[in-house]
Amino acid sequence: MRTVTIVGASLSGLYAARELRAQGFDGRLVIVGEEPHLPYDRPPLSKNFLSGRTDEDQLALTDADETAGLDAEWLLGVRARGLDTRGRTVVLDDGRTVSTDGVVLATGAAARRLPGGSLAGVHTLRTLDDARALRADLGLGARQVVVIGGGFIGAETASSCAGLGHAVTVVEAAPLPLVPQLGADMAAVCAALHRRRGVELITGTGVAGLRGTATVTGVDLTDGRTLPADIVIVGIGATPNTSWLVGSTLALHDGVLCDDGCATALPQVVAVGDVARVGGSRAEHWTSATEQPRVAVTNLLAGRTLQRVRTVPYFWSDQYGSRIQFAGRHRDGDTVHLTEGEITDDGPGESGFLAHYERGGRTVAVLGVDQPRAFLRARRELQRQVREQAVPAVL
C-alpha cells in the first residue's frame, strides 16, 4: 500500500492520520477536507467559543510541528465528489483526482435544516463558520432566541445564549429532550436545568414553519402559537455525509455500513467517526471519533478485520454550569438506581448525582451530573466488565 487517502479533515480524520504514521505506514498520505480549516475541536463551538471564552486558535487540534511530522498532503477547501472503487480514485469537486490504494472515510455529518432556513437570523451549529456567524449575530445586543431541538447541541447552545443575557425558548417535539439517550426519568431531571436557569422549555409541540421575509421574525408552532424570534437556532440532529458515495457500491444506510472493525465490504476501505455505522450503530460522539481510528487503521493496513471496536459508548454535555456524563447505553425497561448525591423536585441536587442503569442483574450504563470523580470510577468499572465478559461492541 503506497498511498492512503483520508477523506475528511475532521477529528476522526486527524486521528486516523496519526494512527497510520504510528502503525508504520510511511507512504504517501493525502487528507481531503471540505472546510478550509485544519482539524479543530467542535465541542467548544456551542459552549466556550459561542460565549467568547475560547478563541479560534484554542480550537486547533494540531500545530505546525505535528502537521509537518505527519508529512501529509492537505487538500483543504475542496469536497470529494465521488469514489471510483474500481480505479481506486477519489474524485474531487474541482476536477482533480487522487489515485490511492487505501481509503479512510471520515466525512462526518451535516446539520439537518428546516424549510425556510435561508432567512437571515436562522442558524445551525456544526462548523466553525456556523459558530462564527451565530456569535456575530448574538453580539448585536439582547435578542429573542428560539432554539429548535432540545438535544445536546440545542441544550448547550441555549445555555450559552442564556448566559450571554438573551431571552431563550427551547422547542422540543418529543415529550422530553434526551429520552432516547437517558430514559424518561433521568431526562426529566436534566430538563429541569433549563427552567432552573430561566429558559422556557416547550415540549410535545413541533414547528410548523418560520416567519419572515428576508429576516426571521418568528416561529410558528403546531399548536397554533407563534414565538417571536430575532434568532432561530436549528438543532434537530445531523445527517451523515454519504451523498458523494452514492454509486460507489458501498453499502449506505444512515452512514457507511461497517463491520465491528470499521471495515466496509470493499477491500482497503474503512470508515470512522460520525459517518461510520460500526457494528450496527452510528455514534456521533467525540470518543467514537478518537477511538475508532486505531482499530480501523490496523484493519486497513492488514487488509482484513483483525481487531474490533469494544469500547463503551461515552458522551458528555455542559449545560447551565453543570456537566452531564453518560457511559453505556440504556434500553427501555432498565432499572435506574441513584447511588450518590440527590435529585430534588427542581432537578439535580446541589452536589449533583450518580445513577446506575441495570439490566439482568448487571450495570449497563451510568449517568453522572456534577460527579466527575464518582463517574470516572463507575465508567472504568463498566469498561472492565465489558472487557471481562467480551461482549460485542454495541451493548
Side-chain angles (χ1 to χ4, degrees):
M1 192 176 295
R2 296 179 180 180
T3 301
V4 172
T5 301
I6 300 172
V7 186
S10 56
L11 174 68
S12 58
L14 175 63
Y15 270 70
R18 290 171 175 170
E19 283 294 336
L20 280 161
R21 294 310 191 200
Q23 295 188 32
F25 176 72
D26 59 1
R28 181 188 180 208
L29 177 57
V30 182
I31 304 175
V32 179
E34 178 181 358
E35 296 182 60
H37 318 292
L38 286 168
Y40 58 88
D41 203 15
R42 294 182 190 271
L45 294 180
S46 57
K47 300 182 276 288
N48 288 348
F49 180 79
L50 197 60
S51 61
R53 295 193 298 270
T54 295
D55 294 326
E56 286 189 23
D57 57 354
Q58 295 173 279
L59 299 175
L61 289 169
T62 185
D63 57 26
D65 289 340
E66 183 186 30
T67 302
L70 287 174
D71 189 25
E73 298 174 36
W74 296 84
L75 306 181
L76 300 177
V78 59
R79 291 188 56 172
R81 188 180 62 187
L83 177 63
D84 179 356
T85 52
R86 283 190 177 183
R88 291 290 171 187
T89 300
V90 177
V91 182
L92 306 183
D93 249 356
D94 61 7
R96 285 179 290 175
T97 59
V98 180
S99 296
T100 189
D101 302 304
V103 180
V104 180
L105 305 174
T107 46
R112 289 194 177 98
R113 299 180 181 273
L114 285 176
S118 59
L119 292 171
V122 178
H123 298 267
T124 56
L125 186 53
R126 185 81 186 181
T127 68
L128 175 56
D129 291 340
D130 290 341
R132 284 172 174 170
L134 177 56
R135 190 162 80 165
D137 217 352
L138 291 169
L140 296 177
R143 322 296 298 275
Q144 292 276 351
V145 178
V146 175
V147 179
I148 301 173
F152 293 115
I153 292 296
E156 291 170 0
T157 306
S159 171
S160 296
C161 291
L164 291 170
H166 303 288
V168 182
T169 301
V170 176
V171 179
E172 169 59 52
L176 281 170
L178 303 178
V179 171
Q181 294 86 358
L182 305 180
D185 291 343
M186 293 298 100
V189 174
C190 292
L193 293 172
H194 291 288
R195 299 188 179 95
R196 181 185 288 182
R197 295 303 176 94
V199 171
E200 183 180 5
L201 176 63
I202 299 174
T203 60
T205 301
V207 171
L210 303 179
R211 290 201 172 193
T213 51
T215 302
V216 70
T217 59
V219 177
D220 291 332
L221 304 183
T222 54
D223 63 6
R225 285 182 288 175
T226 297
L227 304 176
D230 303 305
I231 295 175
V232 173
I233 301 161
V234 181
I236 54 175
T239 304
N241 288 321
T242 59
S243 60
W244 70 283
L245 293 168
V246 173
S248 67
T249 72
L250 278 170
L252 306 175
H253 179 67
D254 186 35
V256 178
L257 299 188
C258 308
D259 65 12
D260 54 6
C262 300
T264 73
L266 296 177
Q268 279 72 54
V269 179
V270 297
V272 292
D274 292 357
V275 77
R277 192 170 184 82
V278 179
S281 177
R282 191 172 67 83
E284 295 180 12
H285 299 303
W286 193 89
T287 47
S288 299
T290 58
E291 293 173 351
Q292 290 173 358
R294 180 187 59 78
V295 172
V297 166
T298 297
N299 297 334
L300 175 68
L301 296 178
R304 58 193 178 96
T305 299
L306 296 179
Q307 294 187 12
R308 291 170 169 77
V309 177
R310 296 198 182 279
T311 55
V312 175
Y314 165 70
F315 62 81
W316 78 93
S317 179
D318 294 325
Q319 302 175 22
Y320 307 103
S322 291
R323 169 153 287 197
I324 301 169
Q325 295 174 282
F326 188 88
R329 181 170 293 162
H330 105 284
R331 294 178 186 168
D332 291 341
D334 289 348
T335 303
V336 183
H337 297 288
L338 191 69
T339 55
E340 296 195 33
E342 64 174 347
I343 295 173
T344 70
D345 293 339
D346 192 32
E350 185 176 344
S351 61
F353 68 88
L354 184 75
H356 282 64
Y357 294 64
E358 295 184 358
R359 185 188 318 143
R362 69 183 184 94
T363 298
V364 293
V366 289
L367 168 67
V369 176
D370 294 330
Q371 287 274 347
R373 292 183 179 178
F375 178 84
L376 179 59
R377 292 194 299 270
R379 182 189 176 197
R380 285 175 173 169
E381 175 62 20
L382 186 59
Q383 290 171 323
R384 183 190 65 79
Q385 292 178 23
V386 168
R387 287 194 301 268
E388 288 183 354
Q389 297 170 10
V391 298
V394 180
L395 293 177

